[in-house]
Amino acid sequence: MSVKDDIAKKLTEAFTPESLDVADESHLHEGHAGHRPGGGTHFRVNIVSRTFEGKSRVDRHRMINTLLAEELAGGVHALAIRALAPNEQQR
């Protein structure tokens, strides 16, 4: 299973999202710190979940970073997060 798949699986199991998009953007960071050939280093996560209702942006990011601590301590160099509650989605 790829790092992207691992991230998506963990987020799905923990937050039961209404929508989830995990994008490997490693190819956009060639030559930058933390980049490795083959990808798996830079990710963007867009997630919508009821779990985030009533939580601040900082709390949401902490929840995700805690869940993905193993990946962040390993090969993931950067993780961009957009975490929303369902009522915050732009229509």
Side-chain angles (χ1 to χ4, degrees):
M1 191 178 309
S2 70
V3 176
K4 176 182 172 182
D5 292 339
D6 287 340
I7 290 171
K9 182 178 182 207
K10 283 186 174 185
L11 292 170
T12 298
E13 290 174 354
F15 301 118
T16 316
E18 292 187 12
S19 69
L20 174 64
D21 179 50
V22 179
D24 185 342
E25 297 185 340
S26 302
H27 65 284
L28 300 174
H29 300 274
E30 284 187 42
H32 297 174
H35 180 269
R36 284 187 320 270
T41 58
H42 294 73
F43 291 90
R44 179 170 304 277
V45 169
N46 290 299
I47 183 170
V48 177
S49 172
R50 292 191 186 283
T51 306
F52 301 133
E53 289 177 351
K55 305 234 180 347
S56 72
R57 180 176 170 194
V58 170
D59 287 339
R60 296 169 188 190
H61 284 228
R62 283 183 182 146
M63 292 166 70
I64 292 170
N65 286 331
T66 299
L67 178 70
L68 300 177
E70 184 178 324
E71 289 78 8
L72 293 168
V76 174
H77 176 74
L79 180 66
I81 301 169
R82 183 169 187 246
L84 301 175
N87 63 337
E88 299 170 329
Q89 291 185 83
Q90 294 181 352
R91 299 185 202 305

